[in-house]
Amino acid sequence: MEKYIYELEMKVRDYECDLQGIVNNANYQHYLEHTRHEFLLSTGVSFAGLHEQGVDPVVARINMAFKTPLKSGDEFISKLYMKKEGIKYVFYQDIFRKSDDKVVIKATVETVCLVNGRLSDSKLFDKIFEAYL
């Protein structure tokens, strides 16, 4: 069983759906990113604040496996846990439909840090995330 360290509840908005009446695939990336940003805020760190300090976490690779579609008005829970692999922080993110706990998407998001524009191992992130790794 995954060891989730953060959960965020959200609800599908009408404009996120396509003509088929289901969430457009691109919007899942928004859900995943919003979850990571809120997780970061929960540690007391702002994504915008990091940028102002010259630290930019960026997505290097993302893999998404779509399992069950979400529809307008569906409530869902976005969960994550993470690991560090070399200089990468790998986020394992899963979304579950709240009404029946069905898996909606399973994703792996690999991120790296740019410090003052250069790829770098981030001591700041090591410190922020040490309790979760």
Side-chain angles (χ1 to χ4, degrees), residues 107-118:
T108 305
V109 182
E110 296 179 6
T111 64
V112 294
C113 280
L114 300 177
V115 179
N116 297 318
R118 302 186 81 167

Side-chain angles (χ1 to χ4, degrees), residues 1-53:
M1 174 145 197
E2 290 86 359
K3 297 176 183 172
Y4 297 110
I5 58 173
Y6 186 77
E7 296 183 7
L8 180 65
E9 290 190 26
M10 290 183 262
K11 185 176 181 178
V12 174
R13 296 162 287 205
D14 293 340
Y15 67 84
E16 296 169 329
C17 298
D18 57 23
L19 289 174
Q20 298 166 312
I22 59 175
V23 171
N24 180 276
N25 65 80
N27 286 309
Y28 290 99
Q29 287 191 54
H30 294 283
Y31 300 155
L32 298 172
E33 181 176 40
H34 183 62
T35 302
R36 290 191 309 279
H37 286 201
E38 289 294 313
F39 166 64
L40 192 58
L41 276 173
S42 77
T43 69
V45 178
S46 155
F47 191 79
L50 286 172
H51 176 72
E52 291 169 2
Q53 297 174 51

Side-chain angles (χ1 to χ4, degrees), residues 35-129:
T35 302
R36 290 191 309 279
H37 286 201
E38 289 294 313
F39 166 64
L40 192 58
L41 276 173
S42 77
T43 69
V45 178
S46 155
F47 191 79
L50 286 172
H51 176 72
E52 291 169 2
Q53 297 174 51
V55 178
D56 293 299
V58 296
V59 172
R61 177 176 291 136
I62 187 166
N63 182 26
M64 299 186 298
F66 299 93
K67 303 294 186 178
T68 304
L70 289 171
K71 297 179 180 177
S72 182
D74 279 348
E75 295 179 338
F76 60 94
I77 303 169
S78 181
K79 302 180 181 186
L80 68 76
Y81 65 99
M82 65 184 298
K83 295 180 181 176
K84 185 169 184 195
E85 296 177 3
I87 64 169
K88 295 185 296 189
Y89 295 91
V90 182
F91 291 88
Y92 297 88
Q93 296 186 248
D94 301 326
I95 294 177
F96 299 86
R97 189 168 51 204
K98 194 172 174 185
S99 64
D100 58 8
D101 206 34
K102 277 198 172 190
V103 176
V104 171
I105 189 172
K106 295 187 82 55
T108 305
V109 182
E110 296 179 6
T111 64
V112 294
C113 280
L114 300 177
V115 179
N116 297 318
R118 302 186 81 167
L119 184 62
S120 177
D121 197 8
S122 173
K123 301 294 182 214
L124 174 64
F125 279 130
D126 288 346
K127 182 175 169 65
I128 293 168
F129 297 142

